[in-house]
Structure formats: C-alpha cells, structure tokens
Amino acid sequence: MLKHTRLSDPELYRLVGEELDRQEHNIEMIASESTESEEVLELSGCVFANKTTEGYPGARFQAGSQVADKMERLGIERAKALFEADHANLQPYSGSTANYGVYAAVLKPGDVVLGMRLDHGGHLTHGSPANFMSKFYDFVSYGLNRETELIDYEELERLARERRPKLIIAGGSAYPRLIDYERAAKIAHSAGGLLMADMAHVAGLVAAKVIPSPVPHADFVTFSTTKTFCGPRGGMILCKAPHARALDRGVFPGAISSIHLNIMAAKVWCLKNAASPSFKATMEQVLKNAAALAEELTRHGFRVIGGGTDNHIVLLDLRSKKITGKLFQDALEYVGITINKNMIPFDSEKPLITSGVRIGTTSVSQRGMKEPEISRIAWIMNRVAAAPEDKGNLEDCKAEALKLIAQFPLYPRGPLE
Ligand code: DSN
C-alpha cells in the first residue's frame, strides 16, 4: 500500500497505516460511514485526477476531454438505469454540494424552502442557521410528532399551505424510519412547489431496492455516494426530465467548477456494483442488522427513537440509562466501537453533549457481521452504559470487542496494494 509515499514521506505513510490499523481493529458504526472497496480506492487515485474539465460531455471548456466524456456518459446511463431516473448528474463533490446544485437550479434569493429541523434528524444544508444557505433562502423548519417521533406530515401540510414553499426537502441524517415521499410530493405540488428528496443516507438501500425509492415521486433526488451507497466521497443528483437542463446549469456553473474525474470514475464503478446480487445481499443484511440491533438494545432497556428502524440507523435516547451521548460515545470509543453522539427530538442537552447517539450498521454488514454478532455488540454496549467510567469494565468490554472484530477483516481479499 502506498509504495511510493512510503519512500518519499514515511511520516505521512505511517499515519495512513495507523488509520488503517484503527479501522481494522474497531467496530465502525457511524451511520454515515461505509468501507470503500479496493476498486473505489484504486479509481479514486487513478489518472483521471490529472485531467481538468468543466461542462458536460460534448460541451467542455477544456480540450482533451473525449475520454472524460465517455466515462461521464457511461456513468449517467448507469445511474439512470439503476435508479430508473429520467436524468442524472454525477458531478457534485458531496451530498451537500448536490443540495446546493438543486438550490442553484430552482431557487431565487428569498424563496421559501421547507426542510426538516437538524435536531429532529434533518441536515445542516436543509436550513440550519449555521449553514450559509440560510442567508439566501427563507428556510422554514418542520419536525417530528412528539408522540410518534415520526415526521409530522400534518405540520408539513399546514406550513406548506401557509408559506407556499418553492421547495420542500424530504430526508436527513438521523431519521430511522421510512419517508412517505408520495405524500411529501403531493404536499409540495399542491402548494405550487417542488420536492427534493435527500436520500444521502439511504441511497444504497434504494439502489438495492430493499426500501422504497423517492425517484417516482420527487422532482429532484440528491445523495452522497459514501454512506450506504458504499462509494467514494462524492455526490449525485437524479431528476425528472423537465428539470434536467436547469439542474445541469445549477450544478455547473451554478455550484461547482471542474469535475473530480477520479472520484467520478469511482462513482461509475459503484453504479455497476450496486446492481449486483452481492450488493443487494449486503443491503438486506444492513437492514436485518439494524432491526436486530434496535430489538436487542430495547431488550437491554435502551429507548429506541421512533420505536425501531426501517433503514441502517438506530437512534437511541440515553436518558433511561442516565448517561449523555458524549459520555457514551467516549466510553464506546475507548472500547473500540465507533459511533456518534446525536441530538434526539426535543433534546434538552447542548449539541456537543446530547441525550442520544446514532448507530449505523453498514460497515459491520460489509465486513460480514450478522445477527449473532449484532447481539454481542448490543451486549457490550449495555455493559458499557452500565458503568461508562469504570476502567476495569471498559477494559473487559474492549477485549470482547477486539475478539469479535478480529474475525471480520476490513479487506478480506487480502492486504491493500
Ligand atoms: N451529515 C453527516 C452525517 O450524517 O454524519 C455527514 O455526512
């Protein structure tokens, strides 16, 4: 691995090795993470990185783009076929940039946009005051029903009627249940607006057809190509035919300039891989593992937000265990289980403390873990929660976690070249 860097920059080479070692020996359960395949790593570092090009196939601003044209066209066709979409744009640098591309395509400064509150499971780019987009558009937030902890579609409908948004955003970063995209589209369209589904977290599950797709209902569908899609750090957008031209102009020159062609190459590979039976089997296991985790943790006395999960995310309310998200995150990190603290709906703690944590099952499923291993992880988590500051307890749990992860290599095909 990194044979040239090893000679020219041993210090940096050692850090990459250290990170590989950390990932190899930790149970990675951050819901936005996945393990990039050897092919994705290879393509992310391939010679397309040398090429600067802007624009779209057949209409570039730089010479020498013929091969890039072929590669981008291949990706667009694969994306359209995989997701059964009218149009695809593979250029966004990330899920956030994909969202900015749609905003650039359809919004004018001051337009009203409805997005889910960040602390109810939305995303920074959906109208958080901390994100610079909130300076340009009039974001209005909707949230979850306090009782059901599901999206409050009645509130969404009322806000849409009153505020007539140009765009409604459905999707987020910490919502463990299915989204009724058909209903969200009806609400958006009857208010005279458009629906953008942000399926950043669930794109792999949608690609594998193990959960319903927003594509038939939403005008635009954005996603990041990491997370369940298991690809490189990039973004993608799908849209209905009438919006294709506006979308492409929104992405370039609206939101980005030159394309990261090497990352695009990795996305193109993922679009083929995501249609394979083995990818579908992994995504099925992601769902089974998340359901098993929610069930096991409930059995251990944790409260699962939303009553369970329909995707790869389990969101826990830790108040029943009388610990904060930060304390639990830090104790689990010590033990070798990597998760993140997360605000829960109607949280009274600050964002850097939180009353909850978010756990994801993509990476462990990719490594081959199934329900028995998930049950063991839940058991360790419960032991950690019982005494998160007891060094002896944490050392015992660490040994258990290490024993478990050692059976599931990060790269089972052999060491990275
Ligand atoms: N939105 C952040 C997350 O879900 O973790 C980064 O992708």
Side-chain angles (χ1 to χ4, degrees), residues 30-32 123-124 172-174 201 224 226-227 233 340 358:
I30 289 183
S32 44
H123 188 254
L124 268 175
S173 278
H201 266 265
S224 82
T226 48
K227 308 186 172 71
R233 296 209 161 257
N340 66 275
R358 184 187 66 164

Side-chain angles (χ1 to χ4, degrees), residues 18-37:
E18 215 178 289
E19 176 58 15
L20 176 61
D21 188 64
R22 188 195 68 78
Q23 292 180 18
E24 184 73 60
H25 297 105
N26 277 267
I27 301 176
E28 298 294 327
M29 300 190 86
I30 289 183
S32 44
E33 290 184 353
S34 60
T35 306
E36 297 191 5
S37 68

Side-chain angles (χ1 to χ4, degrees), residues 208-254:
K209 299 187 169 45
V210 299
I211 65 167
S213 170
V215 172
H217 310 291
D219 300 282
F220 299 93
V221 177
T222 60
F223 59 103
S224 82
T225 48
T226 48
K227 308 186 172 71
T228 55
F229 197 63
C230 302
R233 296 209 161 257
M236 219 181 283
I237 309 173
L238 312 166
C239 74
K240 300 273 187 223
H243 304 301
R245 204 174 138 73
L247 176 71
D248 284 349
R249 286 185 64 81
V251 172
F252 174 84

Side-chain angles (χ1 to χ4, degrees), residues 180-191 193-195 217-219:
D180 187 344
Y181 297 113
E182 188 175 1
R183 187 166 179 189
K186 275 195 190 122
I187 295 171
H189 295 154
S190 50
L194 300 168
L195 179 69
H217 310 291
D219 300 282

